[in-house]
Amino acid sequence: MSYPAAKIGSMIISSTAIATQRSTAIKQLAPALSVTTPVLGVVDFNVLDQLIEQLGEAYPEPWLHHMVGVDTVRLPGVLEHFRARGFGAQTRSAAELQIANQTGFQLHELLHSAGVNSLVLLNQLVHAGMNLSIDNFVELSRVDELIEDPKELTAKFGLRVTAQAPVDDEEPTVSYRGIGLRDHRKEIIQAYADRPWLNHLQLHFDPAPATLQQAAEHVAEIFRLAEDIDHAADAQRIYGIHISGGLPVNYDSDDVAPTMETYRFVLQAMTPELFDGKYTVTTNFAPALTAKAGLILARVEYIKDLGGRMIAVTHAEDPVGCSQPNQPIRVEAYDAHGDYNDGIELFYYDIAGPHGILRHRVELPELEEGDILAILDVGGTAFSAQATFTAPVYGIRADGLLTETSVLHRGRSAEETAEAAGIYQPVKLLD
């Protein structure tokens, strides 16, 4: 399937603009890198704003709402930036709920959608009036027992469903989250028939679709399910559909592709009824909104050779981790003053961190100890709830100016990291 070129809106961000803003930021931040702070994180708020506005241009309808996942970005300064621009927050754990609450999100702005909830947390969520996506039928039965008077419920409750679309037959999903639509279609419809307080559906992507066509097929399956639920009840029972993901991220260049408008076009071509206003639609495109805005700067500590390979060793942790094992890592080289290294002759380097190789065989100009490596496109992973990033994180604008409020995270010292490891009490253990 071919797609027409997306319309060029006033805030479509170009790859040139991203690269220019990055160079300005690195030049400004280079002095912050030192022997005591050999690595730091950066969030470019200009990129965030331009992508947020692009999203608003692609989905202007008042019944279309957007969320950002705390699992994707846990920094309160970034979450507040989204909240102030009308975004809600999606949480997956008690800790993420705490972060969202401390950031200022109100109950009606939150959706809790976890793969597993303790009975204690589930009880707290139900009685607090939290919007909730229920992961499985066992959890649904527990919610049944916790609800005292269904008529008094004001929160949005729904099932999280894995679509199991025909496209999945070619590469079966290995997801563990949500209820399989093909496995349990009749049971899902009956669950809504038996519970008038179930009024929403969440589409769960796991793993993320590789193409917009795949994403659109999953959305179409969930839309048809909503229609079937309404038909079985002979009345409207579903009032909202939550699309958690589906917009791939380009990790190969600075191009923001596919665009928000292209995704809208593909969804609308396959399921035009999704945009007729019958259902409110919420999205969580956090990875696509944040990836290009995040980078890591790391000083080259050593240059060494091993087995015929040149290795640039830094203090940077893996910004991707096991959660995104196939995501490539782009790397750029700068000198110690933050000037782009535009050397013509290129060499292959392995880029290493304290716990392993971050990227094999990266083509870069000749490096020296003290040079700066920029690890790109990590805004959706390096500062997530699952990340172990302990270095300082700065927020920047295109002009590169820094103030005290530009520090999004002050970093964690070795002492604080060691303290978080636990308490040593050998006598009590032996007793």
Side-chain angles (χ1 to χ4, degrees), residues 39 130 174 182 186 337 340 345 354 375 381 401 428 431:
V39 60
M130 175 72 67
V174 292
R182 190 182 302 173
K186 290 183 179 179
H337 304 291
Y340 182 71
E345 188 174 8
I375 302 171
T381 52
L401 296 178
K428 290 187 177 181
D431 288 345

Side-chain angles (χ1 to χ4, degrees), residues 277-354:
K278 177 182 178 181
Y279 305 119
T280 61
V281 177
T282 57
T283 73
N284 177 3
F285 298 151
L289 288 169
T290 59
K292 296 294 179 189
L295 64 147
I296 293 172
L297 301 182
R299 291 177 73 252
V300 176
E301 193 72 42
Y302 315 122
I303 300 292
K304 57 184 287 187
D305 66 285
L306 180 63
R309 297 174 296 124
M310 295 300 297
I311 305 171
V313 184
T314 73
H315 293 272
E317 298 284 357
D318 184 355
V320 177
C322 60
S323 62
Q324 303 284 343
N326 297 319
Q327 178 182 318
I329 295 175
R330 286 197 298 140
V331 182
E332 288 183 343
Y334 296 76
D335 67 20
H337 304 291
D339 294 315
Y340 182 71
N341 187 341
D342 56 359
I344 297 176
E345 188 174 8
L346 300 179
F347 303 87
Y348 283 112
Y349 287 93
D350 286 356
I351 310 300

Side-chain angles (χ1 to χ4, degrees), residues 14 16 26 42 58 79 138 166 174 177 180 194 229 238 241-242 247 259 266 280 290 294 324 340 371:
S14 70
T16 302
I26 293 173
V42 184
L79 290 173
V138 175
V174 292
R177 297 187 180 98
D194 295 340
I229 290 170
I238 302 298
I241 296 174
H242 179 63
L247 182 56
T259 66
V266 177
T280 61
T290 59
Q324 303 284 343
Y340 182 71
D371 282 351

Side-chain angles (χ1 to χ4, degrees), residues 89-252:
Q90 184 175 331
T91 60
R92 301 198 309 182
S93 68
E96 291 182 18
L97 270 171
Q98 186 72 14
I99 293 171
N101 288 331
Q102 291 178 351
T103 301
F105 286 97
Q106 304 300 306
L107 273 180
H108 69 277
E109 299 173 311
L110 297 173
L111 170 67
H112 189 71
S113 177
V116 59
N117 291 301
S118 69
L119 187 56
V120 172
L121 178 58
L122 204 60
N123 182 57
Q124 293 172 347
L125 296 172
V126 171
H127 287 96
M130 175 72 67
N131 299 324
L132 180 65
S133 280
I134 298 167
D135 182 79
N136 54 72
F137 290 119
V138 175
E139 189 165 86
L140 178 61
S141 66
R142 293 180 180 180
V143 173
D144 277 331
E145 297 176 0
L146 293 171
I147 293 176
E148 297 171 359
D149 186 353
K151 295 180 180 179
E152 294 184 359
L153 293 176
T154 57
K156 300 169 184 175
F157 287 83
L159 299 182
R160 177 163 57 175
V161 178
T162 298
Q164 295 178 310
V167 68
D168 295 326
D169 293 341
E170 300 175 6
E171 188 174 342
T173 180
V174 292
S175 172
Y176 76 92
R177 297 187 180 98
I179 300 171
L181 178 54
R182 190 182 302 173
D183 297 335
H184 299 288
R185 189 181 195 92
K186 290 183 179 179
E187 294 97 318
I188 293 170
I189 294 173
Q190 189 62 48
Y192 279 86
D194 295 340
R195 300 167 179 83
W197 49 269
L198 283 176
N199 49 30
H200 281 67
L201 274 172
Q202 179 187 351
L203 167 61
H204 178 70
F205 293 105
D206 188 16
T211 67
L212 296 184
Q213 177 72 19
Q214 291 179 354
E217 288 193 29
H218 285 80
V219 172
E221 290 290 337
I222 293 300
F223 181 85
R224 282 192 286 270
L225 173 61
E227 293 286 276
D228 288 347
I229 290 170
D230 287 351
H231 179 74
D234 199 26
Q236 183 166 355
R237 295 294 300 279
I238 302 298
Y239 289 90
I241 296 174
H242 179 63
I243 303 172
S244 185
L247 182 56
V249 177
N250 169 33
Y251 291 107
D252 296 323

